[in-house]
Amino acid sequence: MNRSRLEPLGVPGSDYRYARDAGESRQPGALDRWLARQITAKLGDAAPVRLALWDEPDVTPRDGSIVVRVLDRKALWQLVVNPELHFGDLYSAGRLEVRGDLLTLLGYAYNSLDEQPSLSRWLAHARRLAAPDLSESKRNIHHHYDIGNDFYKLWLDREALQYTCAYYASPDMTIEQAQQAKMHHVARKLRLQPGERVVEAGSGWGGFAIFMAQNYGVQVRSFNISHEQVVYARDWAKRLGLDGRVEFVEDDYRNLTGQYDAFVSIGMLEHVGAGNYRQLGALMSRAIKKDGRGLVHSIGRDKPAPLNPWIDKRIFPGAYPPTLREMMELFEPNGLSVLDVENIRLHYAKTLEHWLERFEQNVDAVRAMFDEAFVRAWRLYLTGSIAAFIHGKLQLFQVLFARSAENSIPWTRAHVYEGR
Amino acid sequence: MNRSRLEPLGVPGSDYRYARDAGESRQPGALDRWLARQITAKLGDAAPVRLALWDEPDVTPRDGSIVVRVLDRKALWQLVVNPELHFGDLYSAGRLEVRGDLLTLLGYAYNSLDEQPSLSRWLAHARRLAAPDLSESKRNIHHHYDIGNDFYKLWLDREALQYTCAYYASPDMTIEQAQQAKMHHVARKLRLQPGERVVEAGSGWGGFAIFMAQNYGVQVRSFNISHEQVVYARDWAKRLGLDGRVEFVEDDYRNLTGQYDAFVSIGMLEHVGAGNYRQLGALMSRAIKKDGRGLVHSIGRDKPAPLNPWIDKRIFPGAYPPTLREMMELFEPNGLSVLDVENIRLHYAKTLEHWLERFEQNVDAVRAMFDEAFVRAWRLYLTGSIAAFIHGKLQLFQVLFARSAENSIPWTRAHVYEGR
């Protein structure tokens, strides 16, 4: 598979540029207007969305309605042919404007288009089910996570740099509080005890590994294939004097060895590929001691569907959110017992709202780092993800497990909620 | 399928009798002793179990070991041919004695034999995956639940007659307390509010329907195909003056109509047949309002396996404990979102221990109702079930669900644990 085109948006290699003023088109004709109506008709009669063309520069939406304005004829045709793929590119390039609330528009889109996945989406899906090999995984991860630590620091929580769903124990928490609460929530589910050894698959910037060592007195070994993240995480641990207790290994989770009291993976399964679940589950089963515990935290689905093709192409190449049924391939063949599943979908919508808010507060800095097309692409991605979680197109599952027939499991889940 | 042979144990139609003194066999020879060693070898080297033959009437186990004594040659051959089926019948008939701890013996059996399911078990399994029709379901349910309310009242909890897994909020609860706690646990997960309407699939003797009306002020409609149970439940509700708020319908869940605030089913899925899950899920989806909630409580498995053939033949014809993956057929095709899964396997072991304790306290009354073979069969069934839950061969899943994309779901699960 040729992934060379899939460089991060707005950095060298990007195959499109912000081009709001690009191209003059002839005046729209009857065919153009008919096509425009076909596009909005797909959103359903109830959606107060109108598609305006390049001859209406000053159109404004009224009473909460939304106007999508297409700035050239080619953009219109691309939108007709494959809206799910091209909407994102056209929006990012400024060849398509949204006047009115973007989140509301994307909500209508999720509730209509997603019901009729195109052939190209299912072809992409078949690819997702295949198991990426090590070098492909590395390219995919590099694409998303290595575009610059400074960029993510502009809008993630400032304490733990968590680029995964937070847990709002109460809905009025800040993003900082909610990410701390998420880490406590996971650590409590795992019943981490001082002196225990934990292995983590997927470190991010090291925030959770460092948190566990600091707050639960455990020894952590954490695997990550993103070079920039590993360098960052090692430096962070060292500055805190924790480098003796938290080890960051720049390697694929598939090379994990040893036995631990707990296995944890937050936001990595999405990148594993469904074809690798059985193998990952076997590894999880080997990685925990007889009385070990494990937790997998992952974006998921209520029913199987491929990832949105634009997200797949521009944002998260190779990502796939599984259904709970698909996730069972981790546990069922590998002598593992599922103890607890929690779906915190709405917490991811709120997490993304907080991220988007901070992204917009720092948008000038982002633009200075990259360009306007990058800004628009990430605005669309974050807003679209909020819509996906609000409209139930994506779920967030935390699955706690132990070995089958292991009886040192907690008697109830009350300990997770005590004193909080 | 001819089910006429499958009458309840010890009542007219039973095809075997308690017969400890039945049949004299020739003195055991070398072949008999070799076969005896083959049987115990299957339990593994670590199991301190010896098989004694009919020429050793006075054998006693020492130091916590166990002696299984076979009383005639035909019994020995039956045990060789199909131990999983015949052990139960021979034990019940008194043609096989267990000297030493029965629970320990069954634990060894579960940890060995279950790993190598016989062809006959898998054939039975294929049958389970088929969908029983209405009349077959009715026969299966009659077999187990209509053998006499008085029998179950001897050993179930005395307040709510719950013949399903209890919830021990603390491990020192009595069976009465734990069944009340189970019902509160389910009602809290469902967030039942006064005035709401609840539909129940599978009433038992009506205990949970009555509990919900009394404690949560809801209106309940409950379906059951066991005639004896429905008669009992109606009478119970009437005596409490609740017959205006709790309706018991003697009909199959498949004939359920209307829309409700909550759907609940405790201990029925085991009898539904995996081939019917998609249909049941569609019904659950139709049965709840837009903001409705549902909970399915069922025995399950970590990995697929047929039910023990003796339990299937003598105790629970047609029962099948699904894996979580198999259960997803209820939700995934039917626009439902899984919010919460809790596995309370060890609570079922404790529930069964309490039931067995009370069963033994009342064993004389049971014997007077039925016969010694019935007593031994139920002792084996209850003890074997304890072993199955302790050794992780069976799980107990509570699955909470709502419609996909419904956002009136609870923010966290903390409300389930508040003030308890």
Side-chain angles (χ1 to χ4, degrees):
Chain A
M1 217 170 324
N2 177 17
R3 285 235 173 256
S4 61
R5 294 185 306 109
L6 298 176
E7 292 299 309
L9 288 165
V11 299
S14 174
D15 60 355
Y16 62 90
R17 294 270 172 245
Y18 179 65
R20 191 186 286 257
D21 55 356
E24 283 291 308
S25 297
R26 277 183 293 115
Q27 280 295 304
L31 176 60
D32 299 313
R33 299 203 192 282
W34 183 81
L35 287 173
R37 284 194 302 274
Q38 302 314 306
I39 291 166
T40 50
K42 286 190 191 170
L43 299 178
D45 294 339
V49 179
R50 188 169 84 78
L51 202 132
L53 299 179
W54 46 95
D55 61 334
E56 296 183 84
D58 302 321
V59 65
T60 47
R62 264 178 294 191
D63 306 327
S65 72
I66 297 159
V67 172
V68 176
R69 184 167 167 257
V70 173
L71 274 72
D72 63 80
R73 177 169 281 115
K74 189 179 170 197
L76 178 66
W77 280 90
Q78 286 178 308
L79 211 54
V80 169
V81 169
N82 192 344
E84 292 175 85
L85 177 63
H86 291 299
F87 181 91
D89 280 357
L90 294 168
Y91 178 86
S92 305
R95 290 169 57 199
L96 180 153
E97 299 168 350
V98 175
R99 299 182 180 184
D101 189 52
L102 180 60
L103 178 60
T104 305
L105 173 68
L106 296 174
Y108 289 126
Y110 268 114
N111 281 331
S112 58
L113 299 183
D114 253 16
E115 302 302 325
Q116 315 134 18
S118 64
L119 179 62
S120 65
R121 287 186 70 206
W122 281 108
L123 288 174
H125 181 52
R127 186 155 54 81
R128 286 299 77 68
L129 290 174
D133 61 21
L134 293 187
S135 63
E136 187 182 347
S137 296
K138 209 170 163 69
R139 275 196 303 276
N140 290 342
I141 292 305
H142 170 76
H143 176 88
H144 193 80
Y145 295 101
D146 288 351
I147 61 175
N149 302 333
D150 289 344
F151 166 61
Y152 289 102
K153 289 178 84 168
L154 287 176
W155 51 276
L156 293 180
D157 71 293
R158 284 162 190 147
E159 289 176 17
L161 273 181
Q162 292 290 292
Y163 187 29
T164 50
C165 178
Y167 176 76
Y168 294 80
S170 72
D172 58 353
M173 279 184 163
T174 65
I175 183 73
E176 276 75 21
Q177 291 170 328
Q179 292 293 8
Q180 296 290 314
K182 183 265 300 289
M183 295 187 289
H184 280 298
H185 201 54
V186 171
R188 280 168 166 245
K189 284 182 176 181
L190 286 168
R191 291 170 300 135
L192 298 183
Q193 301 298 320
E196 287 193 329
R197 294 178 66 231
V198 179
V199 67
E200 184 180 35
S203 322
W205 287 276
F208 186 48
I210 288 167
F211 172 92
M212 287 189 285
Q214 279 186 319
N215 292 276
Y216 290 83
V218 293
Q219 192 86 20
V220 186
R221 193 148 197 251
S222 183
F223 285 72
N224 195 349
I225 54 174
S226 164
H227 177 70
E228 283 210 35
Q229 287 188 328
V230 169
V231 169
Y232 186 96
R234 282 180 185 154
D235 181 61
W236 189 1
K238 196 165 186 176
R239 273 184 285 128
L240 292 169
L242 288 169
D243 42 335
R245 284 161 60 197
V246 186
E247 180 192 1
F248 292 100
V249 183
E250 188 179 340
D251 200 354
D252 193 278
Y253 69 88
R254 279 163 278 201
N255 297 324
L256 187 161
T257 55
Q259 280 209 318
Y260 304 84
D261 298 291
F263 170 97
V264 66
S265 179
I266 299 186
M268 186 194 74
L269 192 70
E270 300 90 327
H271 301 298
V272 164
N276 282 329
Y277 290 177
R278 181 182 285 244
Q279 183 195 19
L280 171 57
L283 182 147
M284 295 181 335
S285 186
R286 283 196 307 274
I288 58 172
K289 295 177 182 170
K290 184 183 164 300
D291 61 350
R293 297 82 66 192
L295 187 140
V296 173
H297 165 122
S298 175
I299 297 171
R301 295 259 200 211
D302 283 344
K303 59 180 181 182
L307 195 67
N308 171 282
W310 180 74
I311 303 274
D312 182 47
K313 187 171 178 189
R314 298 295 175 195
I315 308 285
F316 269 122
Y320 178 70
T323 65
L324 260 188
R325 183 208 298 257
E326 290 170 323
M327 285 177 76
M328 291 305 123
E329 190 72 6
L330 292 168
F331 310 105
E332 205 176 271
N334 292 307
L336 297 172
S337 185
V338 172
L339 303 181
D340 179 10
V341 180
E342 183 175 16
N343 183 346
I344 54 170
R345 163 173 71 88
L346 292 177
H347 294 242
Y348 217 153
K350 190 172 272 289
T351 304
L352 284 152
E353 282 164 12
H354 280 156
W355 287 344
L356 179 60
E357 189 184 341
R358 204 164 274 183
F359 176 88
E360 296 294 3
Q361 285 163 1
N362 294 285
V363 72
D364 293 338
V366 177
R367 196 178 291 112
M369 281 182 189
F370 302 102
D371 61 14
E372 180 65 16
F374 184 95
V375 165
R376 291 174 67 89
W378 274 75
R379 180 180 292 141
L380 179 65
Y381 157 56
L382 293 171
T383 310
S385 300
I386 296 171
F389 284 102
I390 285 180
H391 293 277
K393 301 300 174 183
L394 292 174
Q395 314 293 314
L396 195 294
F397 296 118
Q398 288 188 340
V399 184
L400 182 71
F401 61 91
R403 286 178 185 277
S404 276
E406 173 55 36
N407 289 343
S408 66
I409 54 180
W411 187 249
T412 73
R413 307 186 300 203
H415 66 97
V416 176
Y417 299 93
E418 267 156 24
R420 285 174 83 177
Chain B
M1 219 172 321
N2 178 16
R3 287 235 171 254
S4 60
R5 295 186 306 111
L6 298 176
E7 292 300 310
L9 288 164
V11 299
S14 173
D15 60 356
Y16 64 90
R17 295 272 171 243
Y18 180 66
R20 190 186 287 258
D21 56 355
E24 283 291 308
S25 297
R26 277 181 294 111
Q27 281 293 303
L31 176 61
D32 297 313
R33 298 203 192 282
W34 183 81
L35 287 173
R37 285 194 302 273
Q38 303 313 305
I39 291 167
T40 51
K42 285 189 192 171
L43 299 177
D45 293 340
V49 179
R50 188 168 84 79
L51 203 133
L53 299 180
W54 46 97
D55 62 335
E56 296 182 84
D58 302 321
V59 65
T60 48
R62 263 177 294 190
D63 306 326
S65 71
I66 297 160
V67 173
V68 176
R69 186 168 166 256
V70 173
L71 275 71
D72 63 79
R73 177 169 282 114
K74 189 180 169 196
L76 177 66
W77 279 90
Q78 287 178 310
L79 210 54
V80 169
V81 170
N82 192 343
E84 291 175 84
L85 177 62
H86 291 300
F87 181 90
D89 279 358
L90 294 168
Y91 177 87
S92 305
R95 290 169 57 199
L96 180 153
E97 299 168 350
V98 175
R99 298 182 181 183
D101 189 52
L102 179 61
L103 179 60
T104 304
L105 173 68
L106 295 173
Y108 290 125
Y110 267 114
N111 280 332
S112 58
L113 300 182
D114 253 16
E115 301 303 323
Q116 316 133 16
S118 64
L119 179 63
S120 65
R121 288 186 68 204
W122 282 108
L123 288 174
H125 181 52
R127 185 153 55 82
R128 286 300 76 69
L129 290 175
D133 61 20
L134 294 186
S135 62
E136 188 183 346
S137 296
K138 209 170 162 70
R139 275 196 304 276
N140 291 344
I141 293 305
H142 170 75
H143 175 87
H144 193 81
Y145 296 101
D146 288 352
I147 61 175
N149 301 335
D150 289 344
F151 165 61
Y152 289 102
K153 290 179 83 168
L154 286 176
W155 51 277
L156 293 180
D157 70 292
R158 286 165 189 143
E159 289 176 19
L161 273 180
Q162 293 289 292
Y163 188 28
T164 49
C165 178
Y167 177 76
Y168 294 80
S170 73
D172 58 353
M173 279 184 164
T174 65
I175 182 72
E176 275 76 20
Q177 290 169 330
Q179 291 293 7
Q180 297 290 314
K182 184 263 302 287
M183 295 187 290
H184 279 298
H185 200 54
V186 171
R188 279 169 167 245
K189 285 182 176 180
L190 286 168
R191 292 170 299 134
L192 298 183
Q193 301 299 322
E196 288 194 328
R197 295 178 65 231
V198 179
V199 67
E200 185 181 34
S203 322
W205 288 276
F208 186 48
I210 288 167
F211 172 92
M212 287 189 284
Q214 279 185 319
N215 292 277
Y216 289 82
V218 293
Q219 192 86 18
V220 186
R221 193 148 198 254
S222 183
F223 285 72
N224 196 349
I225 53 173
S226 163
H227 177 69
E228 282 209 36
Q229 287 187 329
V230 169
V231 169
Y232 186 95
R234 282 180 185 154
D235 180 61
W236 189 1
K238 196 165 186 175
R239 274 183 286 127
L240 292 169
L242 287 169
D243 42 334
R245 285 161 58 197
V246 187
E247 180 191 4
F248 292 100
V249 184
E250 188 180 339
D251 200 353
D252 192 277
Y253 70 86
R254 278 162 279 201
N255 297 323
L256 188 161
T257 55
Q259 280 211 319
Y260 305 84
D261 299 290
F263 170 96
V264 66
S265 180
I266 299 186
M268 187 195 74
L269 191 71
E270 299 90 326
H271 302 298
V272 163
N276 282 328
Y277 290 176
R278 181 181 285 243
Q279 183 195 20
L280 170 58
L283 181 149
M284 294 180 336
S285 187
R286 283 196 306 274
I288 58 172
K289 294 177 184 171
K290 185 184 165 300
D291 61 350
R293 295 83 65 192
L295 187 141
V296 173
H297 165 123
S298 176
I299 297 171
R301 295 258 200 213
D302 283 344
K303 60 180 180 182
L307 194 67
N308 171 283
W310 180 74
I311 302 276
D312 182 47
K313 187 171 177 187
R314 298 296 176 196
I315 307 285
F316 268 123
Y320 178 71
T323 65
L324 260 188
R325 183 208 297 258
E326 290 170 323
M327 284 178 76
M328 291 305 123
E329 189 72 7
L330 291 169
F331 310 105
E332 204 177 270
N334 291 306
L336 297 172
S337 185
V338 172
L339 303 181
D340 178 12
V341 180
E342 184 177 15
N343 183 346
I344 53 169
R345 163 172 70 88
L346 292 177
H347 293 243
Y348 218 152
K350 190 173 273 287
T351 304
L352 283 152
E353 282 164 11
H354 280 157
W355 287 344
L356 179 60
E357 189 183 342
R358 205 164 273 183
F359 176 88
E360 297 293 2
Q361 285 163 358
N362 294 285
V363 72
D364 293 338
V366 177
R367 197 178 290 112
M369 280 181 188
F370 302 101
D371 61 15
E372 179 66 16
F374 183 95
V375 165
R376 290 174 66 88
W378 274 75
R379 179 180 294 141
L380 179 65
Y381 157 57
L382 292 171
T383 310
S385 299
I386 296 170
F389 283 102
I390 285 181
H391 292 277
K393 300 300 173 183
L394 293 174
Q395 314 293 316
L396 196 294
F397 296 118
Q398 288 188 340
V399 184
L400 182 70
F401 61 92
R403 286 177 185 278
S404 276
E406 172 57 36
N407 289 344
S408 66
I409 54 180
W411 187 250
T412 73
R413 307 185 299 202
H415 66 97
V416 177
Y417 299 92
E418 266 156 25
R420 288 174 80 175

